[in-house]
Amino acid sequence: MATTAQSVWNNCLNFIEDNIQPQAYKTWFEPIIAVKLQENALSIQVPSKFFYEWLEEHYVKILKVALTKELGETAKLVYIIKMENTYGNKQPFTEKIPSSNRSPVKSQEVDIPLNNKSPELKNPFVIPGIRNVKIESQLNPNYSFENFLEGDSNRLARSAGLAVAAKPGGTSFNPLLIFGGVGLGKTHLAHAIGVDIKDKYPEKTVLYISAEKFTQQYIDSVKKNNRNDFIHFYQIIDVLIIDDVQFLSGKSGTQDVFFHIFNHLHQNGKQVVLTSDKAPVDMQDIEQRLLSRFKWGLSAELQHPDFETRVSILKNKLYRDGVEMPDDIVDYVAKHIKTNVRELEGAIISLIAQSSFNRKEITIDLAKQIVEKFVKNTKREVSIDYIQKVVSDYFQMDVDTLQSKTRKRHIVQARQLAMFFAKKMTKASLASIGSQIGKRDHATVLHACKTVDNLSSTDKQFRKYVEDISKKLSV
Ligand code: ADP
Ligand code: MG
């Protein structure tokens, strides 16, 4: 059989697969494509510069052994780095590039002689010719500064964001923590900073990630035994944007790893941007040392937009969608939806949809109907705190008692009811419900939900509790 790039590489892979962890093999070797074999040099295509660095740092020895076995002492390995797009939905970590994206166009070659032991090769910054190789930023280009309208409610946060974008890592706003209630623009502003930096400094590696996804990746990395790969990946980012850090509450393992990544980035003058639904002082179950880091930079609040800002947000949205709407209707919507920009936009979208699908004219009456629906719907979105309060009131105890460790039957039942309603009425995960209701784990919450289900079908008195509380919660 003729020796081809493919056959040589397959033999190398067989050897490597036998000698490293299956997960590592899957992550770092399966995505590689053998491209060509010329004389004794095998060219392989890797998905990114980071990928190449990782191989060089961790697997150069085994690559060398494998290739020498196939091609002899004069074997050489050439990496071809595939350029990546900036936008996309790919997971930034341990994700394979789909084969349709694997065309070697727009690639840059790095020639690495395997028997050259020069340590410089491990330093990514001294390899000539590699530039503009990007990690997927996970940014939404629509969430730009341009589309983020300024008002008194957001002026500080917006200006701080602009300052950070102009000089990432070079201002005292590091980290920049943007906090504020639901739907007030935290995610939008966080993206805008990233989008602007990418625009001004295309060579910078920017990464947006939700704290939830970050946590998930971390948990996976622990399961797959590649926690270090996870940490290294995050340590090479220039601008790290983590959304909704309140999600890290109670997750001490993730907080710990984030603390290390944060320190590394901060010490190296890299920019960190965080968002949270609470001010640092109000964050619960976040370790003190991490909280104190959050306070190093600037915490900027997004407040409820005032009427003028709400009107301009609506008008901007209509303008961008190419829709015209009478001023009095815009004013009406802006006047009645006050606390959440997402709902403001939602109401205007419904209004447009109603009028165009049903060919109804947009009137104040129609606006009234829709706004009412919105306002009602939002009332139904209850918080776990509220549920605990309602349940404790119902049983005439205070929330601390409900959360306490006691095994007294009526208190246990109250706690289980609170967990049951939290599961039913909020989008929170079992784990997050548990951590908010007396620091229990997800299994306890699951057990509570089952118990409530069982008891309400077997115990009349208990069913009455469920019905009563249900009523109280749904007004
Ligand atoms: P949060 O992350 O705080 O819950 P988002 O960033 O998701 O809120 O914002 C909700 C919606 O409101 C998004 O569609 C966003 O574009 C819009 N929005 C919020 N603030 C503004 C603003 N100042 N100008 C324009 N749109 C805004
Ligand atoms: Mg958000």
Side-chain angles (χ1 to χ4, degrees), residues 17-18 54 76 135 164 208 252 325 340 352 378 401 429:
E17 191 174 9
D18 284 342
W54 194 260
K76 267 176 72 174
I135 286 175
V164 162
Y208 167 89
S252 55
M325 200 173 283
N340 183 325
I352 297 169
T378 47
T401 311
S429 66

Side-chain angles (χ1 to χ4, degrees), residues 299-423:
S299 305
E301 182 170 11
L302 289 176
Q303 290 163 333
H304 294 165
D306 53 26
F307 177 73
E308 280 73 33
T309 313
R310 299 201 294 277
V311 169
S312 44
I313 290 173
L314 286 181
K315 289 202 168 149
N316 178 259
K317 168 116 196 94
L318 290 167
Y319 173 77
R320 276 190 288 139
D321 292 349
V323 178
E324 283 185 26
M325 200 173 283
D327 278 354
D328 56 335
I329 303 222
V330 174
D331 285 2
Y332 182 87
V333 175
K335 199 167 152 208
H336 288 86
I337 301 186
K338 298 177 193 154
T339 56
N340 183 325
V341 180
R342 191 177 297 125
E343 278 166 15
L344 201 60
E345 289 188 341
I348 221 78
I349 291 166
S350 299
L351 209 50
I352 297 169
Q354 281 282 339
S355 77
S356 52
F357 295 148
N358 303 335
R359 295 176 187 275
K360 282 191 200 160
E361 217 189 311
I362 302 185
T363 59
I364 286 279
D365 264 351
L366 186 61
K368 237 182 215 158
Q369 282 171 27
I370 283 170
V371 164
E372 255 166 37
K373 261 190 224 148
F374 263 85
V375 176
K376 236 192 239 145
N377 276 337
T378 47
K379 275 209 185 125
R380 243 182 258 138
E381 219 176 82
V382 294
S383 71
I384 294 179
D385 284 346
Y386 181 68
I387 292 172
Q388 297 190 77
K389 173 118 187 34
V390 168
V391 174
S392 338
D393 284 353
Y394 180 78
F395 289 110
Q396 292 169 355
M397 59 178 77
D398 49 33
V399 175
D400 287 343
T401 311
L402 179 130
Q403 294 184 342
S404 67
K405 300 274 175 217
T406 174
R407 292 176 185 273
K408 285 197 186 120
R409 195 172 119 96
H410 72 288
I411 298 174
V412 173
Q413 282 192 346
R415 191 160 56 233
Q416 290 178 327
L417 279 161
M419 290 174 173
F420 169 85
F421 281 107
K423 180 69 204 150

Side-chain angles (χ1 to χ4, degrees), residues 14 54 60 98 151 158 160 169 181 188 220 249 256 282 284 300 306 314 337 359 384 404 451 457 459 475:
N14 286 336
W54 194 260
V60 74
R158 191 175 185 279
H188 186 142
D220 286 350
S249 295
D256 186 53
D282 297 326
Q284 283 173 354
D306 53 26
L314 286 181
I337 301 186
R359 295 176 187 275
I384 294 179
S404 67
T451 308
S457 56
D459 178 336
V475 279

Side-chain angles (χ1 to χ4, degrees), residues 186-187 243-244 342:
K186 301 181 294 293
T187 297
D243 203 358
D244 291 320
R342 191 177 297 125

